[in-house]
Amino acid sequence: MEPRKKIGLALSGGAVLGAAHVGVLKALAEHNIKIDFISGTSIGALVGSLFAFGKNCDEVHDITSNLAWKDISSISFSSYGLFTNNKMKDFLKKHIDDVTFDKSDIPFAVIATDITNGDKVVLNEGNVANAVLASTCIPGVFKPINHQERLLVDGGIVENLPISPLIEMGADIIIAVDLNGKHGKKVPENVVDVLVNSFHFTLASASQIQYGEIDVLITPDLTSFSYISTKQTNELIQAGYDEAIKVLKEHPSLSEKNDS
């Protein structure tokens, strides 16, 4: 009998749209699809960390459904950003403890960007909370994070669909969730909207270049949702779930592979 093929899950960035990732996790669980490796960029790193460290899809749903900006960020007096996301460290410690990557239930990696030289930085060792802080640090919005002797910001700049870590970890099949693939333009309402929209529209076209490396691509249509409003979480979760269910129906062999 052939050994079961290993499945990797890549969760993209997308600010508050990341709640859609939770719906995808629910759909994967319902289809009995076992994830062997997980990688995340930006909000995908946050959701992915919860899943990789033992939270099931229902627990991730409960944790994220009431998540607000005040829970993960605060005003910064730095010249490098309007806010700091340091409060996210307390959030992660509360839910997965102060853990290191080697303690994960599912091998896990996140992507950040060295803002000094533009290098892609794959983080899969050391403190998880610090790595997630770095990966979610939208430039201009959040103050950069000093981590592992580098000044790091959001990994979406270099790889918003974090596929390369999955390949390095040995994934045979890659499932990727692109939150920006079908997100249309909306008129910004404030300076944060301008910064976040500009950042993620730039990432959208770059991610499409990677589509050829993906076996199963899930791109929920999130046009009607804002990148920054936290009042739409449950609707985003449902949108991610609905799109994942539709896509997974086209790949019935995935669950069969996991049962073999």
Side-chain angles (χ1 to χ4, degrees):
M1 181 181 294
E2 281 189 31
R4 184 181 66 81
K5 292 187 176 181
K6 301 290 187 179
I7 296 179
L9 176 64
L11 302 178
S12 81
V16 168
L17 301 182
H21 286 319
V22 182
V24 173
L25 294 176
K26 181 180 178 183
L28 292 171
E30 288 184 3
H31 279 72
N32 194 33
I33 297 173
K34 180 180 182 294
I35 301 302
D36 300 284
F37 312 104
I38 188 164
S39 60
T41 296
S42 197
I43 191 64
L46 176 60
V47 175
S49 68
L50 298 172
F51 190 59
F53 282 86
K55 301 298 182 184
N56 62 38
C57 58
D58 290 332
E59 290 172 316
V60 176
H61 186 160
D62 291 342
I63 290 168
T64 57
S65 60
N66 295 312
L67 187 63
W69 283 106
K70 64 180 178 60
D71 299 317
I72 57 174
S73 66
S74 56
I75 295 293
S76 171
F77 296 101
S78 168
S79 58
Y80 289 107
L82 299 173
F83 303 93
T84 173
N85 65 345
N86 282 336
K87 289 174 70 175
M88 192 180 296
K89 183 181 291 187
D90 295 329
F91 171 83
L92 286 170
K93 286 181 179 179
K94 175 182 176 181
H95 294 292
I96 62 173
D97 208 350
D98 192 16
V99 291
T100 51
F101 279 90
D102 59 307
K103 304 298 182 184
S104 65
D105 295 312
I106 303 171
F108 177 54
V110 307
I111 289 180
T113 304
D114 188 326
I115 197 60
T116 301
N117 55 25
D119 284 351
K120 178 175 73 176
V121 181
V122 177
L123 300 170
N124 54 15
E125 296 179 342
N127 185 270
V128 172
N130 288 342
V132 172
L133 256 64
S135 185
T136 57
C137 190
I138 301 172
V141 177
F142 291 125
K143 176 184 174 183
I145 302 296
N146 281 295
H147 182 62
Q148 296 182 353
E149 299 183 357
R150 291 177 180 263
L151 193 63
L152 301 178
V153 297
D154 198 300
I157 296 173
V158 288
E159 191 172 337
N160 195 47
L161 266 179
I163 295 168
S164 63
L166 299 177
I167 296 172
E168 292 171 8
M169 286 190 277
D172 301 301
I173 297 171
I174 293 177
I175 300 173
V177 186
D178 186 3
L179 302 177
N180 298 292
K182 295 179 182 175
H183 192 276
K185 298 175 176 60
K186 296 183 71 174
V187 177
E189 298 179 359
N190 51 54
V191 66
V192 176
D193 267 344
V194 170
L195 288 168
V196 174
N197 285 9
S198 299
F199 180 65
H200 285 101
F201 291 149
T202 302
L203 305 185
S205 57
S207 294
Q208 292 176 10
I209 297 171
Q210 300 175 273
Y211 283 4
E213 301 176 271
I214 298 166
D215 299 289
V216 180
L217 177 64
I218 300 170
T219 55
D221 186 348
L222 305 178
T223 301
S224 62
F225 297 98
S226 162
Y227 277 110
I228 67 170
S229 173
T230 58
K231 297 178 180 179
Q232 53 191 1
T233 301
N234 289 325
E235 291 83 0
L236 280 164
I237 292 172
Q238 187 65 45
Y241 174 81
D242 291 342
E243 181 65 18
I245 289 293
K246 183 173 72 173
V247 171
L248 292 175
K249 284 180 179 178
E250 301 170 3
H251 299 273
S253 61
L254 281 176
S255 56
E256 293 172 8
K257 286 187 175 75
N258 277 272
D259 289 334
S260 61

mmCIF file with all atom_site columns, all heavy atoms in Angstrom, residues 166-181:
data_model
loop_
_atom_site.group_PDB
_atom_site.id
_atom_site.type_symbol
_atom_site.label_atom_id
_atom_site.label_alt_id
_atom_site.label_comp_id
_atom_site.label_asym_id
_atom_site.label_entity_id
_atom_site.label_seq_id
_atom_site.pdbx_PDB_ins_code
_atom_site.Cartn_x
_atom_site.Cartn_y
_atom_site.Cartn_z
_atom_site.occupancy
_atom_site.B_iso_or_equiv
_atom_site.pdbx_formal_charge
_atom_site.auth_seq_id
_atom_site.auth_comp_id
_atom_site.auth_asym_id
_atom_site.auth_atom_id
_atom_site.pdbx_PDB_model_num
ATOM 1   N N   . LEU A 1 166 ? 6.037  24.946 3.327  1.00 0.00 ? 166 LEU A N   1
ATOM 2   C CA  . LEU A 1 166 ? 5.388  23.639 3.220  1.00 0.00 ? 166 LEU A CA  1
ATOM 3   C C   . LEU A 1 166 ? 6.203  22.699 2.337  1.00 0.00 ? 166 LEU A C   1
ATOM 4   O O   . LEU A 1 166 ? 6.340  21.512 2.630  1.00 0.00 ? 166 LEU A O   1
ATOM 5   C CB  . LEU A 1 166 ? 3.978  23.787 2.659  1.00 0.00 ? 166 LEU A CB  1
ATOM 6   C CG  . LEU A 1 166 ? 3.009  24.635 3.482  1.00 0.00 ? 166 LEU A CG  1
ATOM 7   C CD1 . LEU A 1 166 ? 1.673  24.758 2.757  1.00 0.00 ? 166 LEU A CD1 1
ATOM 8   C CD2 . LEU A 1 166 ? 2.804  24.049 4.872  1.00 0.00 ? 166 LEU A CD2 1
ATOM 9   N N   . ILE A 1 167 ? 6.740  23.234 1.257  1.00 0.00 ? 167 ILE A N   1
ATOM 10  C CA  . ILE A 1 167 ? 7.584  22.434 0.369  1.00 0.00 ? 167 ILE A CA  1
ATOM 11  C C   . ILE A 1 167 ? 8.832  21.973 1.117  1.00 0.00 ? 167 ILE A C   1
ATOM 12  O O   . ILE A 1 167 ? 9.235  20.807 1.038  1.00 0.00 ? 167 ILE A O   1
ATOM 13  C CB  . ILE A 1 167 ? 7.958  23.244 -0.884 1.00 0.00 ? 167 ILE A CB  1
ATOM 14  C CG1 . ILE A 1 167 ? 6.702  23.559 -1.702 1.00 0.00 ? 167 ILE A CG1 1
ATOM 15  C CG2 . ILE A 1 167 ? 8.981  22.493 -1.732 1.00 0.00 ? 167 ILE A CG2 1
ATOM 16  C CD1 . ILE A 1 167 ? 6.926  24.512 -2.856 1.00 0.00 ? 167 ILE A CD1 1
ATOM 17  N N   . GLU A 1 168 ? 9.425  22.887 1.877  1.00 0.00 ? 168 GLU A N   1
ATOM 18  C CA  . GLU A 1 168 ? 10.621 22.551 2.643  1.00 0.00 ? 168 GLU A CA  1
ATOM 19  C C   . GLU A 1 168 ? 10.338 21.513 3.721  1.00 0.00 ? 168 GLU A C   1
ATOM 20  O O   . GLU A 1 168 ? 11.189 20.675 4.033  1.00 0.00 ? 168 GLU A O   1
ATOM 21  C CB  . GLU A 1 168 ? 11.206 23.819 3.281  1.00 0.00 ? 168 GLU A CB  1
ATOM 22  C CG  . GLU A 1 168 ? 11.778 24.803 2.268  1.00 0.00 ? 168 GLU A CG  1
ATOM 23  C CD  . GLU A 1 168 ? 12.156 26.136 2.904  1.00 0.00 ? 168 GLU A CD  1
ATOM 24  O OE1 . GLU A 1 168 ? 12.117 26.228 4.149  1.00 0.00 ? 168 GLU A OE1 1
ATOM 25  O OE2 . GLU A 1 168 ? 12.467 27.079 2.154  1.00 0.00 ? 168 GLU A OE2 1
ATOM 26  N N   . MET A 1 169 ? 9.124  21.533 4.285  1.00 0.00 ? 169 MET A N   1
ATOM 27  C CA  . MET A 1 169 ? 8.768  20.582 5.330  1.00 0.00 ? 169 MET A CA  1
ATOM 28  C C   . MET A 1 169 ? 8.416  19.207 4.769  1.00 0.00 ? 169 MET A C   1
ATOM 29  O O   . MET A 1 169 ? 8.333  18.239 5.516  1.00 0.00 ? 169 MET A O   1
ATOM 30  C CB  . MET A 1 169 ? 7.615  21.132 6.175  1.00 0.00 ? 169 MET A CB  1
ATOM 31  C CG  . MET A 1 169 ? 8.026  22.246 7.115  1.00 0.00 ? 169 MET A CG  1
ATOM 32  S SD  . MET A 1 169 ? 6.725  22.706 8.318  1.00 0.00 ? 169 MET A SD  1
ATOM 33  C CE  . MET A 1 169 ? 5.728  23.808 7.333  1.00 0.00 ? 169 MET A CE  1
ATOM 34  N N   . GLY A 1 170 ? 8.197  19.138 3.447  1.00 0.00 ? 170 GLY A N   1
ATOM 35  C CA  . GLY A 1 170 ? 7.943  17.843 2.832  1.00 0.00 ? 170 GLY A CA  1
ATOM 36  C C   . GLY A 1 170 ? 6.505  17.579 2.439  1.00 0.00 ? 170 GLY A C   1
ATOM 37  O O   . GLY A 1 170 ? 6.123  16.418 2.245  1.00 0.00 ? 170 GLY A O   1
ATOM 38  N N   . ALA A 1 171 ? 5.690  18.621 2.264  1.00 0.00 ? 171 ALA A N   1
ATOM 39  C CA  . ALA A 1 171 ? 4.297  18.421 1.868  1.00 0.00 ? 171 ALA A CA  1
ATOM 40  C C   . ALA A 1 171 ? 4.217  17.893 0.433  1.00 0.00 ? 171 ALA A C   1
ATOM 41  O O   . ALA A 1 171 ? 4.897  18.392 -0.461 1.00 0.00 ? 171 ALA A O   1
ATOM 42  C CB  . ALA A 1 171 ? 3.527  19.726 1.986  1.00 0.00 ? 171 ALA A CB  1
ATOM 43  N N   . ASP A 1 172 ? 3.388  16.861 0.242  1.00 0.00 ? 172 ASP A N   1
ATOM 44  C CA  . ASP A 1 172 ? 3.144  16.324 -1.099 1.00 0.00 ? 172 ASP A CA  1
ATOM 45  C C   . ASP A 1 172 ? 1.977  17.039 -1.769 1.00 0.00 ? 172 ASP A C   1
ATOM 46  O O   . ASP A 1 172 ? 1.938  17.160 -2.992 1.00 0.00 ? 172 ASP A O   1
ATOM 47  C CB  . ASP A 1 172 ? 2.809  14.827 -1.007 1.00 0.00 ? 172 ASP A CB  1
ATOM 48  C CG  . ASP A 1 172 ? 3.910  14.019 -0.363 1.00 0.00 ? 172 ASP A CG  1
ATOM 49  O OD1 . ASP A 1 172 ? 5.038  14.041 -0.887 1.00 0.00 ? 172 ASP A OD1 1
ATOM 50  O OD2 . ASP A 1 172 ? 3.654  13.379 0.685  1.00 0.00 ? 172 ASP A OD2 1
ATOM 51  N N   . ILE A 1 173 ? 1.015  17.468 -0.972 1.00 0.00 ? 173 ILE A N   1
ATOM 52  C CA  . ILE A 1 173 ? -0.178 18.155 -1.464 1.00 0.00 ? 173 ILE A CA  1
ATOM 53  C C   . ILE A 1 173 ? -0.297 19.477 -0.715 1.00 0.00 ? 173 ILE A C   1
ATOM 54  O O   . ILE A 1 173 ? -0.176 19.507 0.517  1.00 0.00 ? 173 ILE A O   1
ATOM 55  C CB  . ILE A 1 173 ? -1.442 17.310 -1.222 1.00 0.00 ? 173 ILE A CB  1
ATOM 56  C CG1 . ILE A 1 173 ? -1.359 15.989 -2.001 1.00 0.00 ? 173 ILE A CG1 1
ATOM 57  C CG2 . ILE A 1 173 ? -2.703 18.078 -1.611 1.00 0.00 ? 173 ILE A CG2 1
ATOM 58  C CD1 . ILE A 1 173 ? -2.458 15.014 -1.643 1.00 0.00 ? 173 ILE A CD1 1
ATOM 59  N N   . ILE A 1 174 ? -0.520 20.559 -1.444 1.00 0.00 ? 174 ILE A N   1
ATOM 60  C CA  . ILE A 1 174 ? -0.627 21.880 -0.817 1.00 0.00 ? 174 ILE A CA  1
ATOM 61  C C   . ILE A 1 174 ? -2.040 22.429 -1.002 1.00 0.00 ? 174 ILE A C   1
ATOM 62  O O   . ILE A 1 174 ? -2.538 22.563 -2.126 1.00 0.00 ? 174 ILE A O   1
ATOM 63  C CB  . ILE A 1 174 ? 0.393  22.864 -1.393 1.00 0.00 ? 174 ILE A CB  1
ATOM 64  C CG1 . ILE A 1 174 ? 1.809  22.429 -1.003 1.00 0.00 ? 174 ILE A CG1 1
ATOM 65  C CG2 . ILE A 1 174 ? 0.118  24.281 -0.900 1.00 0.00 ? 174 ILE A CG2 1
ATOM 66  C CD1 . ILE A 1 174 ? 2.904  23.293 -1.584 1.00 0.00 ? 174 ILE A CD1 1
ATOM 67  N N   . ILE A 1 175 ? -2.684 22.708 0.123  1.00 0.00 ? 175 ILE A N   1
ATOM 68  C CA  . ILE A 1 175 ? -3.961 23.419 0.147  1.00 0.00 ? 175 ILE A CA  1
ATOM 69  C C   . ILE A 1 175 ? -3.652 24.849 0.578  1.00 0.00 ? 175 ILE A C   1
ATOM 70  O O   . ILE A 1 175 ? -3.004 25.059 1.608  1.00 0.00 ? 175 ILE A O   1
ATOM 71  C CB  . ILE A 1 175 ? -4.945 22.776 1.140  1.00 0.00 ? 175 ILE A CB  1
ATOM 72  C CG1 . ILE A 1 175 ? -5.226 21.314 0.772  1.00 0.00 ? 175 ILE A CG1 1
ATOM 73  C CG2 . ILE A 1 175 ? -6.253 23.569 1.187  1.00 0.00 ? 175 ILE A CG2 1
ATOM 74  C CD1 . ILE A 1 175 ? -6.063 20.574 1.810  1.00 0.00 ? 175 ILE A CD1 1
ATOM 75  N N   . ALA A 1 176 ? -4.086 25.818 -0.204 1.00 0.00 ? 176 ALA A N   1
ATOM 76  C CA  . ALA A 1 176 ? -3.785 27.217 0.112  1.00 0.00 ? 176 ALA A CA  1
ATOM 77  C C   . ALA A 1 176 ? -5.066 28.035 0.154  1.00 0.00 ? 176 ALA A C   1
ATOM 78  O O   . ALA A 1 176 ? -5.970 27.837 -0.654 1.00 0.00 ? 176 ALA A O   1
ATOM 79  C CB  . ALA A 1 176 ? -2.823 27.803 -0.908 1.00 0.00 ? 176 ALA A CB  1
ATOM 80  N N   . VAL A 1 177 ? -5.112 28.956 1.108  1.00 0.00 ? 177 VAL A N   1
ATOM 81  C CA  . VAL A 1 177 ? -6.259 29.858 1.249  1.00 0.00 ? 177 VAL A CA  1
ATOM 82  C C   . VAL A 1 177 ? -5.769 31.281 0.979  1.00 0.00 ? 177 VAL A C   1
ATOM 83  O O   . VAL A 1 177 ? -4.955 31.822 1.734  1.00 0.00 ? 177 VAL A O   1
ATOM 84  C CB  . VAL A 1 177 ? -6.872 29.776 2.661  1.00 0.00 ? 177 VAL A CB  1
ATOM 85  C CG1 . VAL A 1 177 ? -8.148 30.614 2.722  1.00 0.00 ? 177 VAL A CG1 1
ATOM 86  C CG2 . VAL A 1 177 ? -7.145 28.331 3.063  1.00 0.00 ? 177 VAL A CG2 1
ATOM 87  N N   . ASP A 1 178 ? -6.255 31.868 -0.112 1.00 0.00 ? 178 ASP A N   1
ATOM 88  C CA  . ASP A 1 178 ? -5.875 33.229 -0.489 1.00 0.00 ? 178 ASP A CA  1
ATOM 89  C C   . ASP A 1 178 ? -7.034 34.174 -0.193 1.00 0.00 ? 178 ASP A C   1
ATOM 90  O O   . ASP A 1 178 ? -8.053 34.170 -0.893 1.00 0.00 ? 178 ASP A O   1
ATOM 91  C CB  . ASP A 1 178 ? -5.507 33.282 -1.975 1.00 0.00 ? 178 ASP A CB  1
ATOM 92  C CG  . ASP A 1 178 ? -4.972 34.642 -2.392 1.00 0.00 ? 178 ASP A CG  1
ATOM 93  O OD1 . ASP A 1 178 ? -4.840 35.523 -1.517 1.00 0.00 ? 178 ASP A OD1 1
ATOM 94  O OD2 . ASP A 1 178 ? -4.679 34.824 -3.585 1.00 0.00 ? 178 ASP A OD2 1
ATOM 95  N N   . LEU A 1 179 ? -6.876 34.992 0.818  1.00 0.00 ? 179 LEU A N   1
ATOM 96  C CA  . LEU A 1 179 ? -7.943 35.903 1.237  1.00 0.00 ? 179 LEU A CA  1
ATOM 97  C C   . LEU A 1 179 ? -8.064 37.125 0.336  1.00 0.00 ? 179 LEU A C   1
ATOM 98  O O   . LEU A 1 179 ? -9.075 37.829 0.368  1.00 0.00 ? 179 LEU A O   1
ATOM 99  C CB  . LEU A 1 179 ? -7.695 36.372 2.677  1.00 0.00 ? 179 LEU A CB  1
ATOM 100 C CG  . LEU A 1 179 ? -7.598 35.286 3.748  1.00 0.00 ? 179 LEU A CG  1
ATOM 101 C CD1 . LEU A 1 179 ? -7.281 35.910 5.098  1.00 0.00 ? 179 LEU A CD1 1
ATOM 102 C CD2 . LEU A 1 179 ? -8.892 34.478 3.822  1.00 0.00 ? 179 LEU A CD2 1
ATOM 103 N N   . ASN A 1 180 ? -7.038 37.392 -0.450 1.00 0.00 ? 180 ASN A N   1
ATOM 104 C CA  . ASN A 1 180 ? -7.027 38.585 -1.289 1.00 0.00 ? 180 ASN A CA  1
ATOM 105 C C   . ASN A 1 180 ? -7.414 38.308 -2.732 1.00 0.00 ? 180 ASN A C   1
ATOM 106 O O   . ASN A 1 180 ? -7.591 39.231 -3.521 1.00 0.00 ? 180 ASN A O   1
ATOM 107 C CB  . ASN A 1 180 ? -5.634 39.222 -1.276 1.00 0.00 ? 180 ASN A CB  1
ATOM 108 C CG  . ASN A 1 180 ? -5.230 39.665 0.111  1.00 0.00 ? 180 ASN A CG  1
ATOM 109 O OD1 . ASN A 1 180 ? -5.796 40.596 0.661  1.00 0.00 ? 180 ASN A OD1 1
ATOM 110 N ND2 . ASN A 1 180 ? -4.254 38.988 0.702  1.00 0.00 ? 180 ASN A ND2 1
ATOM 111 N N   . GLY A 1 181 ? -7.544 37.028 -3.094 1.00 0.00 ? 181 GLY A N   1
ATOM 112 C CA  . GLY A 1 181 ? -7.744 36.654 -4.485 1.00 0.00 ? 181 GLY A CA  1
ATOM 113 C C   . GLY A 1 181 ? -9.001 37.217 -5.113 1.00 0.00 ? 181 GLY A C   1
ATOM 114 O O   . GLY A 1 181 ? -9.037 37.511 -6.311 1.00 0.00 ? 181 GLY A O   1
#
